[in-house]
Amino acid sequence: MHQHFYGIILLLVSLGNVIAQPSNPVTNSSNVKKVSISGIVLDKETQQPLEYATVSIYSHKKEKIVDGTITDINGAFELITTAGMYDIKVEYISYKPYILLNQNIESDLSMGSVALELNIAALDAVEVIAERTTVEIKLDKKIYNIGKDLTTAGGTVSDALNNVPSVSVDIEGAISLRGNENVRILINGKPSAMAGFGDTRVLSQLPAEAIERVEVITSPSARYDAEGTAGILNIILRQKETLGFNGSLNLTLGNPDNAGIAASLNYRTDKFNLFSNLGYRYFDAPRNSFSDARYFDINNNGTLISPEFERIREDQKVTRLNRNYNASLGLEYFLSKKTSITGNFFYRYGEDADEIRNNSERFNNGNIEERTLRKEKQDEAGNNYQFALNYITKFNEVGHQLTADIQFGEGHEDKSTFINEDYTVTSQNSPEPFQQESIAETEDEKESLFQIDYVLPIGEDARFEAGYRGDFENDVTDYVLEQEDLNDGSFFINDTISNRFDYSENVNALYSQYGTKIGKFSFLLGLRLENTQLKGKIDSRLTESELIEAFGFPIDTEFDNNYLGLFPTLNLIYNLAESDAGSEESVTLGYNRRINRPRGWYINPFPTRSSRTTVFQGNPNLNPAFSSAFDIGYLKRWEKLTLSTSVYYQYETDSFERIQENTGQQTTDGIDIIRTIPVNLSTNERSGGELGILYNPNEWLRLNSSFNIFQFKTEGEFNGVDYGASNTSWFARLSSKITLPSDIDWQTNAYYNGVYENAQTRREGIFSMDLAVSKEIFKDDATLSLNIRDVFNSRKRKSLTNTEFFERYSESQWRQRQVNLSLLIRFNQQKKRNGRSNYNNGGGNDDMDFEG
């Protein structure tokens, strides 16, 4: 981009000087001799052609530009001029100029190959900028260009997102935006199998090095899907645009066991761009959790009913061995200078082998009544693939264009679980043994997307857009539970739990929007019409009355619900100040209406079997939630300091809340079964503010910090219990990067998530710190990095839950402290060269470049 810009500027200067010259009678004569000056401009070291290099000829005595041109995509140039005495100069940004003096050109001159040598000093300045994390404010989003983040080397996309302001990733991999987990994840502007069809935990299986930038879209324009009341995170993956062959290879070793290899390869010519990403990762991710629950006497119509056990302590340790393969292959073909078509295929395969050991102790009057050991062995294998096709044609160079996208994806997962529980201590003389269980579960997902977008510039500073998008998803889960017959040791199918759940979500949308820029003021006004169909069928051998008895509420085993909604959006920006020195100041205002659609696992009413006493159960009666949100932002950028801040307010109706309650059922040994279930509560108000600071005082020190504070208030009840609550919480992060002697980089990331409380649960604050060092080696063709994530092993969730039936303290650690050693090897990437513009930018460029 920079080479394009400087090449054009130099050419305009050249042409301006030519125009400024007085008319020469000899030049206008038909007898004046014309000559051709031609050649090819190459990189001296790699012999790769340099596109947009500037070739200028100067009058020998007056030292003024007479004529000029730029090289094409093959580095070639030809200049037609008048015969005479000239100085010739060939220039390209970050390279030393090539100069020929006193050239008497009386006939055509072929300069052959002109090899330019890299200007190391200039390149160092470019690379310093490239490795910084920078922020851009646009009408509907903040764009964080990911710099060289050492703490995520050898890590995952989830690790990288956890360093983005406004974003937090909890210990279980769930992603939230400004403290709200209802965030929509897009890959290159579209839903993707790479993001696990909506399961954000899949992002913990993709390498962090794949990310180029993250768009934090808290006030999405009408062009985006209205899903996600918190907003959208659009992850833009890297795609090299350098001519010829280039790529990188990343090797990782870590403890606990973490071994990975990832390769990014790219080959580009003037007609096509072939790009691929390949990766394999093996890791052992041990997980620990602990709970201590005290059960209360229950008042049943004046009669006190005491629980079988007053206190139950559970200590769970999980060994997880994961193996993941992922591959993507894409081809962008340029039909013409303004039209391209891109095809991309993505495939992911994973195998997991987990072993769960749950030690459970049961007390009465302070004495252990019994102790059991529950063992689960779980094997899981699954694959996802996706094929995407993009077409784009540009009718002119000012933004008049048409794009079309088609995308198909499928996912399949097989999971088998064997559960066995035995007494290790018991006060019973002849206790009845526990039934062994065998679970077979398969899940099939299908997704298809059709989208067309039209952009029409109106004058120089206005633009109209319109488009259609259809997104169709289907998820079929087949769950079979077999239990042991204690009489003969055989297994039989449990008809009350086994089921088949077929769930579809179909969304058709039309949108239009108009934006304009008037002086320092810009706005983007849009309207989106969406029809949502939520369709499901539950196949079970239970009758309707048996289902009500089993789940505690009436459910519709076959439903087909349609919701038609209008979603207006408005984004304003006012540039208070802007200067050529890089300083700028702006204010933004955004409004949007959003929808939160329940996913399949929130709908399926059949409970999980990970614990006999605590289960998660979906709710097929869930309806979508709707929200309206306002956002006011301010940005001030100086040469070395960027300050961004905003305040926001959101009002949501029929919001989802997960509550815990006693099911009224007991295990075979008399323990109450507690379930967590999502329900529609009436309203949820959320307000807050955030502050971000990027400070680069010099080349050896870079600081990045952010602070977010929010308050929420929930009102509503379920099954006669009031779950209203209000709470204020906050999270903050600080990242510092220091360049030490011998060009060693040191980076520290610190993160704190404040206390959080709802109607039933109080979660303690969580602090974690990451450290990393890196060193460029092999003449800057490779980077060696060592990082430690969660240095103090403190990333643990500690919470206390109170209900009328029980009080429970719990601790959970999803991943222990991790140490990684990574080696990144680059091929033909150490120099910042220019290539042809990538038409398929994947980012949904709907902001009219009205920047702040």
Side-chain angles (χ1 to χ4, degrees):
M1 179 67 183
H2 293 294
Q3 287 91 336
H4 286 249
F5 176 76
Y6 285 111
I8 293 172
I9 293 297
L10 287 170
L11 180 57
L12 291 176
V13 171
S14 302
L15 295 177
N17 277 276
V18 172
I19 294 172
Q21 299 295 321
S23 299
N24 189 334
V26 177
T27 303
N28 294 332
S29 171
S30 60
N31 296 325
V32 171
K33 184 178 181 180
K34 296 290 185 179
V35 293
S36 167
I37 304 174
S38 61
I40 298 177
V41 181
L42 305 174
D43 180 299
K44 183 177 181 180
E45 182 179 342
T46 66
Q47 295 298 300
Q48 291 291 327
L50 297 177
E51 183 188 8
Y52 290 102
T54 304
V55 182
S56 306
I57 59 173
Y58 295 77
S59 60
H60 174 58
K61 293 182 179 181
K62 297 183 179 181
E63 297 183 350
K64 291 185 177 180
I65 294 179
V66 174
D67 207 343
T69 188
I70 57 176
T71 57
D72 63 16
I73 198 168
N74 297 312
F77 68 90
E78 183 179 16
L79 181 64
I80 306 297
T81 189
T82 305
M85 181 71 73
Y86 298 107
D87 295 337
I88 303 175
K89 189 175 185 179
V90 182
E91 298 174 281
Y92 192 74
I93 190 168
S94 299
Y95 286 75
K96 296 178 181 178
Y98 176 87
I99 301 174
L100 285 176
L101 301 175
N102 304 328
Q103 301 296 305
N104 187 12
I105 305 175
E106 296 295 333
S107 61
D108 292 347
L109 173 64
S110 175
M111 297 177 61
S113 296
V114 178
L116 297 186
E117 184 178 355
L118 197 66
N119 186 335
I120 300 299
L123 180 63
D124 288 343
V126 173
E127 288 181 338
V128 166
I129 295 173
E131 70 175 15
R132 297 177 184 172
T133 297
T134 60
V135 59
E136 299 175 51
I137 306 295
K138 297 201 174 183
L139 267 171
D140 61 346
K141 70 186 76 170
K142 293 179 181 177
I143 302 175
Y144 294 94
N145 297 294
I146 303 299
K148 188 193 293 183
D149 193 335
L150 309 181
T151 62
T152 62
T156 67
V157 169
S158 292
D159 297 323
L161 289 178
N162 206 34
N163 289 338
V164 174
S166 305
V167 180
S168 59
V169 183
D170 72 10
I171 62 173
E172 297 180 355
I175 298 171
S176 61
L177 180 58
R178 292 173 168 175
N180 188 345
E181 291 187 3
N182 183 227
V183 56
R184 179 72 156 168
I185 305 295
L186 302 179
I187 304 290
N188 291 340
K190 293 178 281 294
S192 173
M194 298 177 73
F197 297 99
D199 184 1
T200 59
R201 292 165 179 80
V202 172
L203 297 176
S204 63
Q205 301 172 8
L206 298 175
E209 287 77 16
I211 297 181
E212 177 177 317
R213 66 181 186 271
V214 176
E215 298 179 347
V216 179
I217 310 174
T218 53
S219 183
S221 69
R223 191 173 195 259
Y224 290 100
D225 182 6
E227 170 71 25
T229 55
I232 295 172
L233 289 180
N234 186 21
I235 301 170
I236 306 299
L237 302 181
R238 296 185 188 276
Q239 181 177 327
K240 304 298 181 183
E241 297 182 16
T242 307
L243 287 174
F245 172 77
N246 63 86
S248 64
L249 180 67
N250 192 11
L251 306 173
T252 301
L253 285 175
N255 179 267
D257 292 348
N258 180 26
I261 180 171
S264 175
L265 305 174
N266 192 93
Y267 181 72
R268 190 180 186 96
T269 72
D270 59 342
K271 290 298 294 182
F272 67 87
N273 182 28
L274 182 65
F275 51 93
S276 65
N277 289 279
L278 309 170
Y280 168 76
R281 185 174 181 230
Y282 168 88
F283 63 99
D284 177 5
R287 174 170 61 88
N288 303 309
S289 62
F290 168 80
S291 70
D292 188 349
R294 299 178 183 270
Y295 294 86
F296 307 139
D297 293 339
I298 301 173
N299 190 332
N300 185 14
N301 297 324
T303 303
L304 287 179
I305 302 176
S306 298
E308 182 72 16
F309 299 103
E310 296 175 351
R311 181 183 181 190
I312 298 177
R313 294 176 47 155
E314 294 186 81
D315 190 0
Q316 186 181 88
K317 297 187 182 301
V318 183
T319 301
R320 298 182 295 177
L321 297 178
N322 297 341
R323 289 141 292 181
N324 297 313
Y325 308 80
N326 64 82
S328 65
L329 178 65
L331 175 65
E332 180 181 16
Y333 185 76
F334 304 106
L335 301 174
S336 67
K337 291 184 178 181
K338 297 181 179 179
T339 303
S340 71
I341 187 168
T342 303
N344 186 57
F345 178 78
F346 168 78
Y347 178 79
R348 182 180 64 85
Y349 176 77
E351 288 184 357
D352 299 343
D354 298 351
E355 184 174 31
I356 305 171
R357 300 173 65 89
N358 191 0
N359 283 285
S360 179
E361 297 177 330
R362 293 129 197 189
F363 297 82
N364 278 326
N365 300 317
N367 300 316
I368 293 181
E369 294 283 337
E370 60 185 39
R371 180 187 293 125
T372 63
L373 175 61
R374 176 183 171 93
K375 293 184 288 186
E376 297 182 37
K377 289 188 176 181
Q378 186 177 95
D379 293 309
E380 183 177 344
N383 60 76
N384 286 32
Y385 76 85
Q386 177 179 282
F387 175 74
L389 194 64
N390 168 268
Y391 170 84
I392 181 169
T393 184
K394 296 188 175 183
F395 302 107
N396 55 34
E397 299 297 332
V398 295
H400 187 196
Q401 65 182 39
L402 177 71
T403 60
D405 292 274
I406 300 176
Q407 184 172 289
F408 299 98
E410 287 194 8
H412 177 80
E413 187 174 81
D414 288 308
K415 184 188 298 183
S416 61
T417 307
F418 186 79
I419 302 173
N420 182 34
E421 188 166 1
D422 294 307
Y423 288 101
T424 57
V425 173
T426 180
S427 59
Q428 303 178 52
N429 292 328
S430 299
E432 183 177 348
F434 297 104
Q435 291 176 299
Q436 297 184 90
E437 296 183 353
S438 178
I439 302 172
E441 183 177 4
T442 62
E443 184 175 9
D444 290 286
E445 299 170 294
K446 294 182 180 180
E447 173 261 348
S448 58
L449 178 143
F450 305 91
Q451 181 171 337
I452 187 167
D453 300 286
Y454 176 71
V455 181
L456 176 66
I458 303 174
E460 294 184 0
D461 295 319
R463 191 165 78 174
F464 170 79
E465 291 188 49
Y468 160 81
R469 176 162 161 175
D471 198 352
F472 311 99
E473 300 178 25
N474 176 253
D475 187 351
V476 178
T477 303
D478 203 335
Y479 185 96
V480 178
L481 169 64
E482 293 185 335
Q483 293 179 302
E484 180 187 17
D485 188 331
L486 297 176
N487 294 320
D488 57 13
S490 63
F491 283 78
F492 65 93
I493 295 178
N494 185 326
D495 289 336
T496 63
I497 299 296
S498 300
N499 69 93
R500 185 177 186 273
F501 183 52
D502 188 334
Y503 183 67
S504 296
E505 178 183 296
N506 303 319
V507 181
N508 287 279
L510 294 170
Y511 81 92
S512 67
Q513 61 184 17
Y514 173 79
T516 189
K517 185 175 183 180
I518 306 172
K520 295 182 178 182
F521 174 78
S522 306
F523 77 85
L524 186 62
L525 176 65
L527 183 64
R528 188 177 185 91
L529 174 67
E530 285 193 352
N531 176 257
T532 300
Q533 180 190 42
L534 302 180
K535 184 178 180 181
K537 183 178 181 181
I538 302 171
D539 286 334
S540 170
R541 298 186 184 183
L542 297 180
T543 64
E544 184 174 337
S545 60
E546 289 173 331
L547 285 171
I548 296 175
E549 182 180 354
F551 303 136
F553 52 84
I555 65 172
D556 191 350
T557 58
E558 188 168 358
F559 56 90
D560 187 352
N561 300 323
N562 280 269
Y563 305 89
L564 186 65
L566 280 174
F567 301 93
T569 63
L570 174 63
N571 290 286
L572 311 173
I573 189 168
Y574 183 75
N575 289 312
L576 298 172
E578 187 172 359
S579 70
D580 295 335
S583 64
E584 55 185 279
E585 186 178 14
S586 63
V587 176
T588 59
L589 172 66
Y591 164 77
N592 63 88
R593 185 171 187 259
R594 312 284 294 165
I595 185 174
N596 181 9
R597 306 180 184 96
R599 306 297 298 179
W601 60 84
Y602 261 35
I603 296 291
N604 193 337
F606 290 90
T608 62
R609 299 293 292 179
S610 58
S611 171
R612 291 190 305 119
T613 59
T614 305
V615 300
F616 177 85
Q617 183 177 349
N619 180 2
N621 299 323
L622 275 182
N623 293 318
F626 294 88
S627 72
S628 293
F630 299 86
D631 188 293
I632 300 176
Y634 171 77
L635 172 78
K636 175 67 175 178
R637 194 196 310 271
W638 295 269
E639 182 181 357
K640 297 180 179 181
L641 176 68
T642 299
L643 170 70
S644 61
T645 182
S646 64
V647 293
Y648 53 88
Y649 172 79
Q650 181 186 81
Y651 182 81
E652 185 175 354
T653 58
D654 281 337
S655 63
F656 302 165
E657 293 291 336
R658 287 174 289 192
I659 63 172
Q660 298 183 60
E661 63 176 9
N662 195 318
T663 60
Q665 302 173 353
Q666 294 184 327
T667 62
T668 55
D669 51 344
I671 303 175
D672 290 339
I673 298 176
I674 307 300
R675 72 176 174 191
T676 299
I677 184 172
V679 299
N680 288 113
L681 290 183
S682 56
T683 62
N684 186 353
E685 291 184 76
R686 183 181 295 265
S687 58
E690 58 186 352
L691 172 70
I693 297 176
L694 297 174
Y695 183 47
N696 304 122
N698 46 52
E699 293 184 6
W700 61 269
L701 176 62
R702 288 175 288 281
L703 300 174
N704 181 357
S705 65
S706 64
F707 175 79
N708 192 304
I709 184 169
F710 60 92
Q711 181 184 58
F712 72 88
K713 180 180 180 181
T714 300
E715 295 180 353
E717 64 176 39
F718 181 72
N719 284 346
V721 179
D722 184 3
Y723 291 101
S726 62
N727 181 240
T728 300
S729 186
W730 60 280
F731 61 89
R733 57 170 52 90
L734 172 65
S735 175
S736 66
K737 187 176 179 184
I738 301 173
T739 301
L740 303 173
S742 301
D743 291 329
I744 296 175
D745 287 329
W746 176 287
Q747 184 171 332
T748 303
N749 286 359
Y751 176 81
Y752 182 78
N753 198 331
V755 175
Y756 178 91
E757 190 170 0
N758 60 24
Q760 293 182 312
T761 301
R762 173 186 171 88
R763 187 191 66 204
E764 299 300 322
I766 301 175
F767 172 79
S768 65
M769 177 180 287
D770 303 334
L771 298 177
V773 292
S774 78
K775 168 71 176 173
E776 298 295 314
I777 58 177
F778 303 146
K779 297 182 179 180
D780 294 342
D781 284 335
T783 304
L784 185 65
S785 302
L786 174 68
N787 62 51
I788 307 175
R789 289 204 290 274
D790 195 8
V791 174
F792 302 109
N793 206 34
S794 58
R795 195 170 171 82
K796 300 177 182 178
R797 173 183 289 170
K798 301 178 181 180
S799 59
L800 181 65
T801 300
N802 281 286
T803 74
E804 60 179 315
F805 303 104
F806 66 91
E807 176 186 84
R808 181 172 62 231
Y809 171 79
S810 61
E811 292 184 7
S812 178
Q813 185 177 27
W814 187 256
R815 186 174 66 181
Q816 299 178 14
R817 175 175 46 231
Q818 180 77 43
V819 181
N820 286 328
L821 179 66
S822 297
L823 176 64
L824 177 63
I825 304 172
R826 295 177 290 272
F827 309 98
N828 299 330
Q829 285 189 7
Q830 74 274 22
K831 299 176 179 62
K832 312 298 181 191
R833 301 188 192 90
N834 214 7
R836 186 171 181 170
S837 298
N838 180 16
Y839 292 114
N840 182 22
N841 59 23
N845 185 21
D846 61 335
D847 46 45
M848 301 179 63
D849 288 329
F850 293 167
E851 303 178 11

